[in-house]
Amino acid sequence: CFLQVYNAWVESKGTSKDWCKQHFVNARSMHKAADIRKQLKRYCEQAGVLLASCGSEHTQVARCLVTAFYANAARLAPDGRSYRAECSSEEIFVHPNSSLFRRKARAVVFDQLMLTTKMYMRNCTVIDLAWLPELVPAYSAQLKRD
């Protein structure tokens, strides 16, 4: 979702405050994201890392996030309103400001938890649970031990 917003902002020439207002996006945050992207690109080039774009194939990005955040995977609980963390079985919820708040996915990874009245996941990405054992061998080994 964030990548789609960023790409749309870039397509709008990345300088339009009107575009940001129209789409309820913070212009300063978009410029900061562009600066961070430039820094990362420069670091990769200095390290000799080949950069490639996923284009519109967002599955590749989601699979990378599974590799990095596998410990933060959660599956939709049978009640259909909450999630269960794969590693801890803790009941967690999608944060109300997420685009996934109303549209429930079968499984997600997230990058942070926030405790208010409930434990909320922030920055969620839809995943396929079958990717976990495929992409994270340590996860497969853990499942076999349990």
Side-chain angles (χ1 to χ4, degrees):
C1 190
F2 289 137
L3 180 58
Q4 291 170 328
V5 171
Y6 179 80
N7 288 338
W9 178 73
V10 168
E11 287 176 16
S12 77
K13 305 300 181 229
T15 57
S16 170
K17 287 186 179 181
D18 292 334
W19 185 93
C20 289
K21 276 186 180 179
Q22 181 182 2
H23 293 90
F24 305 101
V25 174
N26 184 306
R28 183 180 296 169
S29 295
M30 297 309 295
H31 286 285
K32 184 175 180 179
D35 289 342
I36 291 169
R37 184 184 184 284
K38 286 177 192 171
Q39 284 180 343
L40 290 172
K41 183 178 177 184
R42 190 170 54 244
Y43 292 148
C44 288
E45 288 169 350
Q46 289 173 353
V49 175
L50 179 64
L51 296 175
S53 172
C54 68
S56 63
E57 182 54 49
H58 300 287
T59 301
Q60 291 176 357
V61 175
R63 288 172 62 90
C64 288
L65 291 172
V66 166
T67 303
F69 292 105
Y70 68 90
N72 294 352
R75 83 173 60 218
L76 189 62
D79 65 13
R81 64 176 187 79
S82 65
Y83 286 80
R84 292 279 175 200
E86 284 291 296
C87 290
S88 68
S89 297
E90 180 178 11
E91 182 180 43
I92 51 182
F93 298 84
V94 173
H95 194 274
N97 74 358
S98 171
S99 62
L100 295 175
F101 183 69
R102 286 185 172 69
R103 188 195 109 215
K104 300 294 185 198
R106 291 180 62 196
V108 297
V109 290
F110 57 92
D111 75 347
Q112 66 178 226
L113 289 172
M114 182 173 83
L115 179 61
T116 58
T117 56
K118 298 177 184 175
M119 187 66 77
Y120 286 110
M121 300 179 283
R122 301 283 310 261
N123 303 323
C124 299
T125 300
V126 177
I127 65 163
D128 182 342
L129 283 173
W131 296 343
L132 284 166
E134 174 191 346
L135 298 172
V136 186
Y139 183 83
S140 297
Q142 180 66 32
L143 286 177
K144 289 176 186 172
R145 279 186 286 212
D146 292 341

